Amino acid sequence: GQQVMQIPQYQHVQEGEDFTTYCNSSTTLSNIQWYKQRPGGHPVFLIQLVKSGEVKKQKRLTFQFGEAKKNSSLHITATQTTDVGTYFCAGTYNTDKLIFGTGTRLQVFP
Amino acid sequence: DAGITQSPRHKVTETGTPVTLRCHQTENHRYMYWYRQDPGHGLRLIHYSYGVKDTDKGEVSDGYSVSRSKTEDFLLTLESATSSQTSVYFCAISAGLRNQPQHFGDGTRLSIL
């Protein structure tokens, strides 16, 4: 079946350092969504990317969709303790439902 | 936050017993989903619904059944619970299937002993 791979599984950073998580698919995605889940909470939608090569920014967060629509990344500049949580990508193929990646758990040390 | 209520929030039960989890929404969204979340697996789709009495299987549907008799309610049933079904279960809703964000409930932590 179709899979969306996400790396790294865990990332520990010092507050103020940058962070990036990557999402990869073996086949072309129709679109990709990103979610954040705080410890003990539920996933919360962050953004959706649809177009090839698309880049979107939300304050310190930058989201990219690859030219071939097979990969995506989320980059956080100058992490803060409020960024702690697990970040999930979720991709859609042409005729199917969202498939979630396994997530990247971010820990930020003050 | 979207109006999604999951009940119960926590449940402990024994192997072999039936369990029903409820998801209630006040957003009048057409699509509703049940996911399970386990360490190392992310969120995996169990079943989803695209309307009243219209449901379909997800990637991990074995051992689970669902029903949707009203737009606002989506029930997940474990007919005979097993320890492998110990997990956190999330309900989600969306206005569309592919290009719409999903909004999640607070989850149900289910332990099967």
Side-chain angles (χ1 to χ4, degrees):
Chain A
Q2 287 143 338
Q3 281 188 311
V4 176
M5 307 302 294
Q6 195 172 350
I7 55 170
Q9 190 173 5
Y10 301 100
Q11 186 82 54
H12 298 171
V13 300
Q14 202 76 32
E15 189 173 22
E17 292 181 337
D18 292 356
F19 160 77
T20 305
T21 174
Y22 300 91
C23 203
N24 294 290
S25 169
S26 57
T27 55
T28 302
L29 294 162
S30 174
N31 62 50
I32 197 152
Q33 298 178 0
W34 285 92
Y35 292 77
K36 177 184 178 181
Q37 184 177 20
R38 295 183 185 276
H42 59 269
V44 175
F45 173 78
L46 294 176
I47 208 158
Q48 176 172 272
L49 305 171
V50 180
K51 299 176 183 176
S52 168
E54 189 170 14
V55 178
K56 287 188 176 181
K57 292 190 175 185
Q58 288 180 350
K59 297 183 180 178
R60 294 177 296 104
L61 278 60
T62 301
F63 304 85
Q64 294 188 341
F65 202 8
E67 293 290 341
K69 299 182 74 173
K70 290 184 179 181
N71 56 74
S72 181
S73 65
L74 158 60
H75 180 82
I76 302 178
T77 303
T79 54
Q80 300 175 357
T81 54
T82 53
D83 295 324
V84 165
T86 300
Y87 293 84
F88 292 97
C89 62
T92 304
Y93 298 92
N94 274 340
T95 58
D96 215 339
K97 306 157 286 293
L98 269 184
I99 297 177
F100 281 81
T102 50
T104 296
R105 185 175 163 190
L106 173 64
Q107 182 65 260
V108 179
F109 295 108
Chain B
D1 278 348
I4 309 167
T5 304
Q6 289 186 235
S7 58
R9 293 293 316 281
H10 303 271
K11 186 173 182 67
V12 180
T13 191
E14 294 184 347
T15 300
T17 60
V19 177
T20 296
L21 308 183
R22 180 179 183 241
C23 179
H24 178 80
Q25 62 144 329
T26 58
E27 304 297 320
N28 201 35
H29 279 352
R30 179 180 176 188
Y31 292 88
M32 298 185 75
Y33 313 81
W34 278 108
Y35 291 90
R36 60 178 290 172
Q37 185 173 38
D38 305 288
H41 290 279
L43 290 152
R44 293 182 291 175
L45 182 66
I46 305 171
H47 282 279
Y48 73 103
S49 170
Y50 47 97
V52 173
K53 298 187 179 178
D54 291 324
T55 65
D56 203 355
K57 296 179 179 180
E59 60 181 308
V60 290
S61 59
D62 287 348
Y64 302 94
S65 63
V66 290
S67 66
R68 191 168 178 198
S69 59
K70 298 185 290 185
T71 298
E72 57 266 35
D73 289 328
F74 192 32
L75 304 181
L76 176 71
T77 298
L78 291 64
E79 300 290 348
S80 178
T82 67
S83 58
S84 64
Q85 293 175 311
T86 292
S87 187
V88 179
Y89 291 85
F90 285 101
C91 172
I93 64 173
S94 70
L97 182 60
R98 290 195 286 123
N99 288 328
Q100 297 291 323
Q102 293 189 9
H103 303 283
F104 287 79
D106 290 334
T108 294
R109 186 171 295 275
L110 178 62
S111 297
I112 300 163
L113 307 177

